[in-house]
Amino acid sequence: MLLLDDRRLLGALDELAAIGAIEGGGCARLALTDEDKVGRDLVVGWMKALGLDVRIDAIGNVIGLRAGREDLAPVMTGSHIDTVRTGGRYDGNYGVLAGLEVVRALNEAKITTRRPIAVAFFTNEEGARFQPDMMGSLVYAGGIGLNEAYAAVDKEGASVGDELRRIGYLGPVTPGVLKPHAFVELHIEQGPILDEEKVQIGVVESVQGISWIEYTVTGVSNHAGTTPMRLRRDAGYLAASVNLFARKLAWEMGGNQVATVGALALRPNLINVVPNRAVFTVDLRNTDEAKLKEAEARVAAYIAEVMKAERVEVEANVLARFEPVIFDGGLVDRVEHHAKALSLSTRRMPSGAGHDAQMMQRLCPTAMIFVPSVEGLSHNVKEHTEPADLAAGAQVLANLMLELAEE
Ligand code: HGY
Ligand code: MN
Ligand code: MN
């Protein structure tokens, strides 16, 4: 069995987490910011030091390629190193750095696998600054074109294209030109299931569907003291009502349905002025596409109702919409097999979070390996996974990758 150096992996995670480090032990490296660039440069440096052929594509995806005995489609692993603003140190980073640890161990063991091995990090997986999320892997899989991705802008009006150029990661390689034999992503669960059930490895069968919509509400600003309730056209009231409605709807629908109003901005945002503008987002997810569609329709119908009663205007902008993705059954079985072969406890499960793997399944057999998140915390600086669990996940990844690389 390929021997990994768990302490080295932990050290690499700490070193990367120090870039964009924030209060409480997390890190903030929003996509294509200076912090993201510094993180990218660090990981690219590690890839080069490992002798990998580093390729940067036109959407800034970075792939480190290790030659095989034969020039065949590579076995690819990877994830992302951009984070949300309140990011932890494992989301995405762990999958990329565990992939590099597999390469280090192969180098030390002087093993050349039949197939090449690739370790990738994809651009803007989080979608926190630019939407849609999983942008780099979506372009890689042919889901959107480069120009559409380049045109995405952040709240300050900076575009993906300009920011890629500015940080020096608008690479020459055509995205997706390297079609993997298989793709395996190692990731923290980011939810409470494995931790609550004390299970060591999550065998991920699918990723739930995602619906991101931004609503811009226009009402009439007015004096908070003199305007009687009957005359108000309060944009903030609609935003607040939708938040309550979506939350109640998720509880009522039950199952895997979740709903989040994560971003909300009122204007003029003053204590004594009825807001004339509200911009807010609704994130709806479900493992069942029909149910996700139902949730979307019910939120839209509710908005139409309140819009009429409050006499405000509403404009909807779809930021991301992905249907649920089912991973390759055979590869999922092999994740389970390798975890059990290491006497690790396992359970099959869907992913509540979006991942680059859901895009790679469009190109090749793809699967994911989860390790527990303590108290299910993620997108939170307190995100934590025990070192023993980090090591176990990396070993399952290594053993599966080696098997795939010899077929
Ligand atoms: O939103 C997500 O699920 C992912 O973190 N982009
Ligand atoms: Mn992630
Ligand atoms: Mn994330």
Side-chain angles (χ1 to χ4, degrees), residues 127-240:
R129 181 185 177 196
F130 303 103
Q131 294 79 35
D133 55 348
M134 286 78 73
M135 184 184 276
S137 48
L138 181 62
V139 170
Y140 194 94
I144 56 168
L146 275 171
N147 291 332
E148 188 181 340
Y150 287 159
V153 290
D154 70 3
K155 288 280 170 255
E156 283 66 50
S159 73
V160 165
D162 290 347
E163 286 295 273
L164 271 173
R165 240 173 251 106
R166 185 181 69 82
I167 67 168
Y169 275 89
L170 197 162
V173 175
T174 306
V177 72
L178 185 69
K179 195 168 168 311
H181 168 63
F183 182 81
V184 185
E185 180 169 1
L186 174 63
H187 206 287
I188 54 171
E189 178 202 338
Q190 301 184 283
I193 297 168
L194 296 175
D195 189 43
E196 283 173 354
E197 297 179 5
K198 297 288 167 258
V199 171
Q200 292 165 299
I201 295 291
V203 179
V204 188
E205 295 180 299
S206 64
V207 177
Q208 67 178 348
I210 300 178
S211 164
W212 281 4
I213 300 180
E214 179 183 75
Y215 294 98
T216 302
V217 191
T218 308
V220 174
S221 67
N222 226 323
H223 195 296
T226 58
T227 312
M229 297 316 285
R230 61 186 168 78
L231 292 182
R232 293 185 179 215
R233 299 171 65 179
D234 183 342
Y237 167 72
L238 184 136

Side-chain angles (χ1 to χ4, degrees), residues 29-56:
R29 291 195 305 272
L30 287 175
L32 310 183
T33 56
D34 292 340
E35 292 79 13
D36 186 22
K37 173 183 172 48
V38 177
R40 285 167 167 263
D41 292 349
L42 177 68
V43 178
V44 167
W46 283 338
M47 287 181 166
K48 288 180 175 161
L50 287 167
L52 297 181
D53 167 13
V54 178
R55 300 172 178 189
I56 302 173

Side-chain angles (χ1 to χ4, degrees), residues 91 125-127 133-134 190 210 212 283 285 352-355 379:
D91 178 0
E125 186 279 343
E126 291 294 1
D133 55 348
M134 286 78 73
Q190 301 184 283
I210 300 178
W212 281 4
D283 175 325
R285 308 199 195 192
H355 296 288
H379 287 186

Side-chain angles (χ1 to χ4, degrees), residues 342-379:
L342 290 168
S343 312
L344 297 167
S345 55
T346 65
R347 70 103 85 200
R348 287 175 174 248
M349 59 196 292
S351 171
H355 296 288
D356 294 309
Q358 74 188 83
M359 304 307 173
M360 297 305 284
Q361 176 58 49
R362 301 183 188 197
L363 289 180
C364 63
T366 295
M368 291 190 77
I369 306 162
F370 273 174
V371 292
S373 293
V374 172
E375 291 177 23
L377 274 180
S378 184
H379 287 186

